[in-house]
Amino acid sequence: MENKKHIVIVGGGFAGLELVKELNRSGKYHITLVDMNNYNFFPPLLYQLAAGFMEPSSISYPFRRLLRKYKNARFRMASLQEVIPAENKLILSNGELSYDILVMATGAESNFFGNKEVEEKAMPMKTVGDALMLRNLVYTRLERATRTQDKEQRRKLLSFAIAGAGPTGVELSGIFAEMKQNIMRKDYPELTFDDLGDIYLIDGQETVLSPMSKKAQEYTEKSLLKKGVKLKLGVFVSNFINDEVHLSDGTTLEARNLIWAAGVSAKTFKGIDDKAYLGRGKRMKTDAYNKMEGFDNIYAIGDASIMTTDPNYPEGHPQLAQVAIQQAANLGKNFNNDFRNPQSFSYVDKGSMAIIGRNQAVADLPKHIFIKGFFAWAIWAFIHIMSLVNFRNKMRALYNWIGYYISKDQSYRMVLRPNEKAKG
């Protein structure tokens, strides 16, 4: 063990876990996985957690349990504060950690484009904590609305503006629209349907799901409008003050709730945050083998990295789970082979999908194949269930979805406010 090189992986998302898995095949390295949480979670299903359709344990799993089968891997719960490349050392929130090789798999965070007012008041959707806060907000607003006599105030309380019409924004607006139809009207007899307010989906692009095909965009827009979602396209959020969402065209939306799914940027860390090392979206610039430019033993993968050497993606790869997984697998193979005849990274696009609601989804598959409706929804459900980290998570998700499909109802509508006494 003492003679093995020590690889430290910061970030336990898609990329980090895939790299641990690949490195374990050779047994050549001593691996330490560092993450601020003690659990891995599945970001594509955060919106279901926020809406109360799933519980946290359905989409998350403890790292230490996951790493049991990897004899060369250890876990450390900590936040990265600083990298000191000259000393091969990390400064963590709870101490220091030395490395021979460092891999940054730190993902991305919400990008508010410098708007401090929006950053302070809007609800992001990047973590389990964010999703639970949004769930608390939704159901607290509903309870408050039942006690509010002013009709205009009720509508404001229960109107939601969602910034960003990518997959997360589309999924949130679709599920909120279904909740209005199938749940809120039943559980809150004090409220009329008109009291339940409006759902706005906002995006600076002229269409929803801008990276997807025109057919996917048109079907999604039609489906959302049919559900009652109000689309505000070609405009962006300029401010959020006095319980109003201000748009770039000068109009305002009467909504007390702004959910931010409009953009992301990579996380930056002292010691490797010089502008010379960073590209678009603050992503760390790498060569074709995911090695950070300017360093000999620091690598970056997934959303944290930007690589411009792939001929098919000269501006960098999209920040998608499949890119992260494929980069981690490729880097792991190169490490296991001691970089003898290393393979440069080339992304294989397996398609993209988005769910709109019950029995409604869109899928752009390779060879320009487009699928919509129930069949796309079934494929989406199968892929997401199979992507969960273990059998227990898969069965929980399947049980939840079957229950909702049959009953059009969900069980996890509790408002939970934990008492944060444990500081670590």
Side-chain angles (χ1 to χ4, degrees), residues 284-350:
M284 304 171 199
K285 293 191 287 189
T286 74
D287 64 13
Y289 308 98
N290 283 100
K291 185 168 73 173
M292 269 193 75
E293 294 182 5
F295 300 98
D296 293 328
N297 62 341
I298 301 180
Y299 296 77
I301 53 178
D303 290 354
S305 71
I306 184 165
M307 177 191 297
T308 57
T309 55
D310 189 335
N312 295 321
Y313 299 90
E315 300 299 319
H317 299 97
Q319 289 170 290
L320 301 173
Q322 272 301 317
V323 174
I325 292 168
Q326 291 179 33
Q327 285 187 346
N330 186 71
L331 180 60
K333 290 183 175 70
N334 284 333
F335 277 139
N336 290 339
N337 292 327
D338 299 316
F339 273 84
R340 293 191 298 267
N341 300 316
Q343 295 295 312
S344 60
F345 177 72
S346 179
Y347 175 50
V348 178
D349 186 358
K350 297 183 179 181

Side-chain angles (χ1 to χ4, degrees), residues 30-47:
H30 171 45
I31 308 160
T32 299
L33 178 66
V34 178
D35 198 283
M36 63 185 294
N37 299 307
N38 74 333
Y39 57 88
N40 165 271
F41 67 95
F42 191 63
L45 294 180
L46 281 176
Y47 81 98

Side-chain angles (χ1 to χ4, degrees), residues 241-312:
I241 54 175
N242 299 325
D243 298 335
E244 292 180 339
V245 178
H246 294 246
L247 303 181
S248 58
D249 62 358
T251 60
T252 59
L253 307 178
E254 300 284 326
R256 288 199 59 177
N257 313 287
L258 175 61
I259 303 169
W260 197 258
V264 296
S265 63
K267 299 176 183 177
T268 58
F269 302 92
K270 185 177 179 181
I272 53 173
D273 59 348
D274 189 285
K275 289 184 179 179
Y277 306 140
L278 305 180
R280 182 168 50 87
K282 299 181 182 179
R283 297 159 74 180
M284 304 171 199
K285 293 191 287 189
T286 74
D287 64 13
Y289 308 98
N290 283 100
K291 185 168 73 173
M292 269 193 75
E293 294 182 5
F295 300 98
D296 293 328
N297 62 341
I298 301 180
Y299 296 77
I301 53 178
D303 290 354
S305 71
I306 184 165
M307 177 191 297
T308 57
T309 55
D310 189 335
N312 295 321

